[in-house]
Amino acid sequence: MTCMLTLADISGDTWSEDIVEQRKVLGRSETAEIRLDHASVSRQHCCFWCENDACYVQDCGSTNGTYVNGLKIAKEKISPGDTIVVGRFELVVEDKDRVQATLDLPDAPPGGPALADPRAEERYLATLIHQRLTPSRRMCLPGMIVDVLYHPSGILGGDCFESFELDNRWIMSVFDPMTHGVKAAMNSMLLRAELQRWVTLTAEPGRCLQWINSELTLLGMNDLYVSAAVASWFPRTHTLVYAAAGEHPPLILREGQIRNLGETAGGLPLGVAAAEHYAEHLVQLKPGDRVYFFTDGVSEVMAGDGESVVTVPVLAKRLEETCQQPLADQMRAVVPLGDRTFVDDVLFVGCEVTHT
């Protein structure tokens, strides 16, 4: 079996590289066989090769480490379907023979499938876009592993999680529009654009929320009200700064106990009042600490028989009771999605500080 690495960046950059017997070094250096020119990638970050019909990846002493399926590795055997994180980039291991067979399929008949009407086409396109923007996934930031559990209430969802790098920090945000369907999905896309525009001017979460709030109130659109939480993660100092707008602040778990349960739920949702103020909180995290972001739909999933919603203290208690489980397992135990249908979108994000 011949394996290949595929990079599919959200910017649109896509390439593939075969894994062969000769070792290929991936890094920032101009001499690297696989070059990723970004500050999060070391000059010689890791290497790939085949040996005895198996494929391997080995870290080359990189600063930010090499991760396979969310776990930091020194040397690891890899197989099709594995995800490798190098700095800010995600590489997928694929079976080259299967990819080639797919590429060799005959062309589809002209015309393609006809959609029922222009509105159906818009919903279909919006669904594809939103699934790409907020999938359930695991990702690795410097000094932190992030698991995203996401389930829309219908074919479209408005809740979204965003993360991107800015200078010496990473910005993380959760948005929960107070609408559903196509309108909510479009609102989320607008919020992403506004966040990236304003955060380049001020990386302070509280002020960033204030400016986005001012923009939304000036638009004057009906029902454009959004609960949100924005955080800045500083991996070098393990510092998290966050602010919330109508959303409960992220819960912080340390040594089996939620440490900030008594914090207020932030200011009014975005788009309600132009002069709203959003207070910031700063916390110094330690390796092993976990941080949880969540939207209102989580309480619906957790509710049992005879319950309509579950309060944040109940969520905190369940997180404490399951704290010994690996992060992804804990999240799925606390928020069991199953095959149920929900009235509200479900977005649950868990972050765990790593030891490096």
Side-chain angles (χ1 to χ4, degrees), residues 238-294:
H238 283 181
T239 303
L240 187 75
V241 182
Y242 57 89
E247 200 76 75
H248 196 283
L251 294 177
I252 299 170
L253 179 73
R254 173 176 295 170
E255 298 176 350
Q257 182 179 354
I258 296 295
R259 299 289 177 167
N260 64 330
L261 185 58
E263 285 182 357
T264 58
L268 291 172
L270 303 175
V272 176
E276 187 66 11
H277 174 75
Y278 303 101
E280 288 185 346
H281 301 269
L282 184 151
V283 60
Q284 191 79 35
L285 298 178
K286 301 192 300 184
D289 287 353
R290 293 179 179 179
V291 181
Y292 307 91
F293 298 85
F294 51 94

Side-chain angles (χ1 to χ4, degrees), residues 200-222:
T200 56
L201 300 177
T202 173
E204 301 172 14
R207 180 167 295 184
C208 186
L209 284 174
Q210 290 173 19
W211 287 1
I212 296 176
N213 178 60
S214 297
E215 288 291 307
L216 295 186
T217 52
L218 287 174
L219 289 176
M221 296 176 62
N222 293 330

Side-chain angles (χ1 to χ4, degrees), residues 220-236:
M221 296 176 62
N222 293 330
D223 300 328
L224 189 51
Y225 308 132
V226 183
S227 298
V230 176
S232 293
W233 165 243
F234 297 84
R236 293 182 182 177

Side-chain angles (χ1 to χ4, degrees), residues 91-343:
L91 311 173
V92 178
V93 182
E94 297 184 286
D95 183 343
K96 185 178 180 181
D97 296 334
R98 292 188 61 183
V99 173
Q100 189 62 47
T102 303
L103 294 176
D104 291 341
L105 289 175
D107 294 336
L115 294 171
D117 54 58
R119 290 184 179 180
E121 184 176 0
E122 290 176 0
R123 288 195 297 270
Y124 175 71
L125 179 59
T127 302
L128 290 179
I129 293 173
H130 198 69
Q131 287 175 346
R132 294 293 181 90
L133 290 176
T134 309
S136 290
R137 59 180 297 196
R138 162 164 282 197
M139 56 193 299
C140 294
L141 308 183
M144 179 178 284
I145 294 174
V146 179
D147 270 300
V148 182
L149 195 61
Y150 170 70
H151 191 284
S153 57
I155 62 169
L156 277 178
D159 292 9
C160 68
F161 172 72
E162 173 77 303
S163 67
F164 55 89
E165 186 180 13
L166 180 69
D167 299 327
N168 62 339
R169 72 198 75 186
W170 280 78
I171 306 299
M172 296 184 288
S173 63
V174 168
F175 293 118
D176 181 6
M178 296 183 182
T179 52
H180 297 282
V182 174
K183 187 172 183 178
M186 295 304 168
N187 287 350
S188 291
M189 295 175 199
L190 170 63
L191 290 165
R192 289 174 184 270
E194 287 296 308
L195 175 67
Q196 295 208 22
R197 182 162 72 100
W198 287 115
V199 82
T200 56
L201 300 177
T202 173
E204 301 172 14
R207 180 167 295 184
C208 186
L209 284 174
Q210 290 173 19
W211 287 1
I212 296 176
N213 178 60
S214 297
E215 288 291 307
L216 295 186
T217 52
L218 287 174
L219 289 176
M221 296 176 62
N222 293 330
D223 300 328
L224 189 51
Y225 308 132
V226 183
S227 298
V230 176
S232 293
W233 165 243
F234 297 84
R236 293 182 182 177
T237 59
H238 283 181
T239 303
L240 187 75
V241 182
Y242 57 89
E247 200 76 75
H248 196 283
L251 294 177
I252 299 170
L253 179 73
R254 173 176 295 170
E255 298 176 350
Q257 182 179 354
I258 296 295
R259 299 289 177 167
N260 64 330
L261 185 58
E263 285 182 357
T264 58
L268 291 172
L270 303 175
V272 176
E276 187 66 11
H277 174 75
Y278 303 101
E280 288 185 346
H281 301 269
L282 184 151
V283 60
Q284 191 79 35
L285 298 178
K286 301 192 300 184
D289 287 353
R290 293 179 179 179
V291 181
Y292 307 91
F293 298 85
F294 51 94
T295 58
D296 290 344
V298 168
S299 64
E300 178 190 349
V301 180
M302 293 175 54
D305 295 336
E307 295 177 307
S308 57
V309 295
V310 168
T311 61
V312 173
V314 174
L315 171 60
K317 181 180 179 182
R318 295 187 186 179
L319 289 171
E320 291 174 346
E321 292 172 344
T322 56
C323 65
Q324 297 301 321
Q325 298 185 27
L327 178 61
D329 294 343
Q330 179 197 33
M331 292 171 62
R332 284 160 179 78
V334 172
V335 185
L337 292 175
D339 298 325
R340 298 159 54 194
T341 300
F342 305 106
V343 176

